[in-house]
Amino acid sequence: STQSTWGAPDGRHLAVGNKDDVITVVDARKFKATKIQKFTHEVNEFAWDAGGRCLFMTTELGTVEVFTPDLRRLHAIHAHPANLYCLAFSRCARYFAVGSADAIVSLFVLPEMICVRTFTKLEYPVRTISFSHDSSMLASASEEPLIDVSHVPTGEGVYQVKTQAPNNTVAWHPSEFVLAYAGDEKDRYDKDEGNLRVLRLGKD
């Protein structure tokens, strides 16, 4: 599916990807594509780091690949033995996390890009992950009707939210412990309901 993400903090670069694994980087000031690259392997979710200097991509190879805005590869981290589907950065810019088809979420520290922790509460391929506004909690969801919320510094489980269906996306509020999520809920005719649910979570 098509994905796009702005480079922060100035928003100069916009990266766009399509189902054919073609990544295009657009210079937003000039309204011009500065680089178009077709990848020979499947590219899934991607995101810019906090400074907008590097584009991180997840791949079917289980790697996190790091590129400059002109798509020159800087690093490749072998993160998992299975396909990586999702990626998120913490707002404190200290961490990023990836979710994999092996049902594991891995936490990496920056700038070292070393894996310091794994979260193993889910049992199916991880579809989506999100850090809370203060970077203390990480929500993850998979192909099961469950959202796991874990404490980032310790890896301990904080909440397990049972949902009506598998979830495609989770997203924290930018300043509160409020989690939005949406998934594959069906009506009685087996059509997508398109529901968005919002849940307030406390913090110890």
Side-chain angles (χ1 to χ4, degrees):
S1 62
T2 301
Q3 180 194 346
S4 61
T5 179
W6 288 97
D10 62 0
R12 177 172 181 175
H13 295 106
L14 175 67
V16 181
N18 65 21
K19 64 180 181 180
D20 296 318
D21 303 308
V22 176
I23 305 296
T24 302
V25 178
V26 177
D27 187 325
R29 296 177 184 177
K30 299 178 180 178
F31 300 101
K32 181 180 179 181
T34 57
K35 186 70 176 181
I36 300 174
Q37 185 166 324
K38 164 71 175 175
F39 287 82
T40 57
H41 53 265
E42 180 182 301
V43 175
N44 295 310
E45 190 166 12
F46 50 85
W48 298 93
D49 67 357
R53 293 181 294 273
C54 295
L55 184 65
F56 285 57
M57 300 181 190
T58 57
T59 78
E60 68 173 340
L61 305 176
T63 57
V64 179
E65 300 185 0
V66 185
F67 293 84
T68 63
D70 62 357
L71 297 184
R72 178 172 56 88
R73 193 168 80 168
L74 298 174
H75 306 285
I77 308 164
H78 192 80
H80 285 255
N83 199 328
L84 293 183
Y85 290 135
C86 50
L87 167 76
F89 284 92
S90 66
R91 295 186 67 182
C92 70
R94 178 58 176 158
Y95 303 108
F96 74 91
V98 294
S100 174
D102 60 15
I104 297 173
V105 176
S106 295
L107 180 74
F108 291 79
V109 292
L110 293 166
E112 298 87 351
M113 292 192 287
I114 296 172
C115 180
V116 294
R117 188 163 295 108
T118 57
F119 303 86
T120 58
K121 307 292 193 307
L122 301 174
E123 297 183 359
Y124 292 87
V126 183
R127 290 180 172 182
T128 176
I129 53 180
S130 178
F131 284 93
S132 62
H133 68 279
D134 65 348
S135 306
S136 69
M137 293 195 287
L138 179 66
S140 57
S142 70
E143 297 176 5
E144 60 192 297
L146 180 75
I147 299 172
D148 176 70
V149 179
S150 291
H151 189 230
V152 171
T154 65
E156 294 180 359
V158 181
Y159 300 99
Q160 283 205 330
V161 181
K162 293 183 179 180
T163 61
Q164 300 296 316
N167 299 284
N168 294 318
T169 184
V170 294
W172 287 97
H173 187 279
S175 62
E176 299 182 32
F177 293 105
V178 174
L179 186 67
Y181 60 95
D184 293 335
E185 293 182 39
K186 306 287 186 181
D187 64 17
R188 61 179 179 171
Y189 303 107
D190 201 36
K191 294 183 178 180
D192 292 332
E193 289 192 333
N195 291 335
L196 171 68
R197 299 181 184 272
V198 180
L199 178 67
R200 179 176 292 277
L201 300 173
K203 186 182 178 187
D204 294 336

